[in-house]
Amino acid sequence: MALQRTQVLIVGGGMVGLALAIGLAKAGRKVTVVERSETPGEMPEQTSLRVSAINAGVAQWLSELGAWQRLPTDRCAPYHGMSVWEHDSFGKIEFTAEQADLASLGTILENQVLVAALWQQAEEVGVQLIAGVDIETPEYHESDVSVALINGKGNGNGNGDVILAQLLVAADGARSQLRDHVGTPIIHRDYEQQGLVATIESEEPHAGIARQVFHAGGPLALLPMADAKQSSIVWSLPTLEAQAMCALSAEEFSQKLTVASNNCMGMLRPVSERVSFPLRMQYAQTWVHGRQVLVGDAAHTIHPLAGQGANLGFGDAFHLVQQLTSLGTLNGQWDNTELNRALRRYERARKAAAVRHIATMEGFHQLFTGSNPIVKMGRSLGLSLVNQTNPVKDFFLRQASELG
């Protein structure tokens, strides 16, 4: 058993944890990342199903970190327009990047591709990366946290090695073991929906436009990929309906998807498997526990209908970097009181951001769920009003450029 010391230990080598690690390492902090999967730094050859819409503000920060430049251009899909409407109705909103004075409204990226680029950049800037290991229950002390590594898989870093860190960051996702271990209370809501994801090919090119059509059972998002005729779909459906859709033949699914999209790009056909996952909102009531802090999905998850989940998590990482890099150290050690103040400032700011996003998503979910004809007429009128009112439209356009 070996003992290693680090300033910040991040458990979870996903997008948010790695961005945080790079930001801290570039500011001169000693950072270690522990990740369960064995090969997070390998660029996937095949197109992966889970994608994120990265806005301009996040892209700029990732560029400053040096990670954006590592993305293969043939896997990046900037989108320049957005079209949102209600199925079988006249209500519609349309945005363009030009209206926001941006080169694009955002970029659709496969999550695994972005993780690989971030992992490679983290390695470049000196982050200690430990893959293929899990952790035992941490031991919390007044000025540090100790964590034992287990299940080492070929890299020699498991088998009881212990890491002693001044700060433990839980970036281990929506089912965070670190969050649950300290008994953090969670506010949650099960939408009784599943998000069906797949890669599809359209008869007509997507023209760099992200599309979203609202149905009584949930929205269908069509996100443009790098290939001019391929899109990634996220279709929010009642649980049983989502499962039934996954079980359809490719031809049957193609027909239902094309109808659901209002034939916006001609015939749509799946070119990948179909997978669904439960849609839930979660919000941790406490983000700081001594020398442990939550970021990303460990702290909050939101409905994917506006595609802001990843950007919200990157906002956490950005603001935590700001707070931690503003702290001085004595002989490499953070003062307990000063560190706690910094973590509380981070918690207050990011809780407020998360609550705003959750409230907005709840509002959208309530507004666009159900098929009552009177309510549907009101929704259509509201969409038309938003499309014609610059101050309201400007609010939505700001979401394409703000970081967190």
Side-chain angles (χ1 to χ4, degrees), residues 12-19 22 33 35 37 39-44 48 50 52 54 62 67 70-72 109-123 129 314:
M15 296 184 290
V16 173
L18 289 170
I22 296 167
V33 173
E35 166 57 31
S37 63
T39 57
E42 290 186 7
M43 195 66 67
S48 46
R50 300 298 295 271
S52 294
I54 305 301
L62 296 181
R70 291 182 175 273
L71 293 167
L109 288 169
E110 301 159 56
N111 290 1
Q112 292 181 16
V113 169
L114 184 50
V115 166
L118 286 162
W119 186 275
Q120 293 165 13
Q121 180 62 9
E123 189 172 35
L129 300 169
F314 279 120

Side-chain angles (χ1 to χ4, degrees), residues 150-268:
I150 56 175
N151 298 332
K153 297 181 180 179
N155 54 22
N157 289 309
N159 304 317
D161 287 359
V162 175
I163 298 179
L164 193 65
Q166 295 179 46
L167 179 65
L168 177 62
V169 179
D172 52 344
R175 297 181 179 181
S176 170
Q177 293 180 346
L178 291 175
R179 178 198 64 209
D180 294 345
H181 170 66
V182 297
T184 302
I186 299 291
I187 297 171
H188 64 89
R189 178 183 177 185
D190 189 333
Y191 290 104
E192 298 181 348
Q193 290 180 321
Q194 297 222 342
L196 188 159
V197 295
T199 304
I200 59 101
E201 188 170 271
S202 55
E203 185 179 4
E204 301 168 9
H206 53 61
I209 297 173
R211 296 170 170 86
Q212 186 155 338
V213 52
F214 283 93
H215 294 260
L220 165 64
L222 301 109
L223 307 174
M225 302 290 282
D227 186 302
K229 288 192 174 183
Q230 285 194 355
S231 299
S232 175
I233 68 165
V234 184
W235 196 351
S236 302
L237 293 162
T239 299
L240 292 179
E241 189 176 343
Q243 293 170 352
M245 284 286 187
C246 286
L248 292 176
S249 68
E251 183 177 343
E252 291 172 322
F253 181 74
S254 176
Q255 292 172 351
K256 289 186 178 293
L257 179 62
T258 301
V259 171
S261 71
N262 288 125
N263 202 35
C264 63
M265 293 183 288
M267 182 64 71
L268 308 178

Side-chain angles (χ1 to χ4, degrees), residues 318-355:
F318 174 79
H319 283 85
L320 187 54
V321 167
Q322 285 191 316
Q323 290 297 330
L324 294 179
T325 55
S326 68
L327 291 178
T329 62
L330 180 62
N331 297 324
Q333 295 288 319
W334 277 317
D335 177 78
N336 283 348
T337 301
E338 292 301 315
L339 176 61
N340 184 258
R341 286 174 180 167
L343 294 178
R344 293 300 178 186
R345 286 193 296 268
Y346 157 78
E347 181 184 45
R348 286 193 298 271
R350 299 312 297 163
K351 272 188 170 183
V355 167

Side-chain angles (χ1 to χ4, degrees), residues 14-54:
M15 296 184 290
V16 173
L18 289 170
L20 173 64
I22 296 167
L24 291 173
K26 287 176 70 71
R29 303 299 187 260
K30 186 176 181 181
V31 186
T32 300
V33 173
V34 171
E35 166 57 31
R36 271 186 192 172
S37 63
E38 295 184 61
T39 57
E42 290 186 7
M43 195 66 67
E45 294 183 5
Q46 302 297 321
T47 302
S48 46
L49 291 182
R50 300 298 295 271
V51 304
S52 294
I54 305 301

